[in-house]
Amino acid sequence: MPHPKRKISKSRRDKRRTHYKAEAPTLTTCKTTGAVHLPHRAYTVDGNIYFNGKLLIERTAAV
C-alpha cells in the first residue's frame, strides 16, 4: 500500500487547497415576474411555473 516518503508541510498542503472554495451562485431577475432565480432553470411564482419569462404550468385551484 503506498505511503508518502516525506511529510507534507502544513503550508504546502494549504497552498494546494487554496482553489477549493465556495462560490456564491449567480442569480438573474425575471423581466416578466421580477422573481430572482438561477439562470437556465424553471422557477415558481405563486404556484405557477415559469421558464425564460414564459408561463409553463399554471396552478389549478385545489378541490
Side-chain angles (χ1 to χ4, degrees):
M1 194 145 145
H3 57 352
K5 193 164 208 162
R6 296 271 185 264
K7 180 179 178 179
I8 304 290
S9 69
K10 292 175 193 134
S11 62
R12 192 172 192 83
R13 175 200 66 197
D14 293 343
K15 283 180 193 175
R16 185 182 67 247
R17 292 181 180 172
T18 58
H19 301 290
Y20 301 132
K21 53 187 148 230
E23 295 179 2
T26 55
L27 298 173
T28 58
T29 306
C30 179
K31 296 175 186 172
T32 309
T33 60
V36 178
H37 61 91
L38 290 169
H40 308 287
R41 302 285 195 286
Y43 55 96
T44 60
V45 177
D46 298 328
N48 299 328
I49 298 177
Y50 288 86
F51 179 73
N52 203 15
K54 297 175 185 134
L55 181 64
L56 283 182
I57 301 172
E58 191 171 357
R59 180 180 182 184
T60 58
V63 177

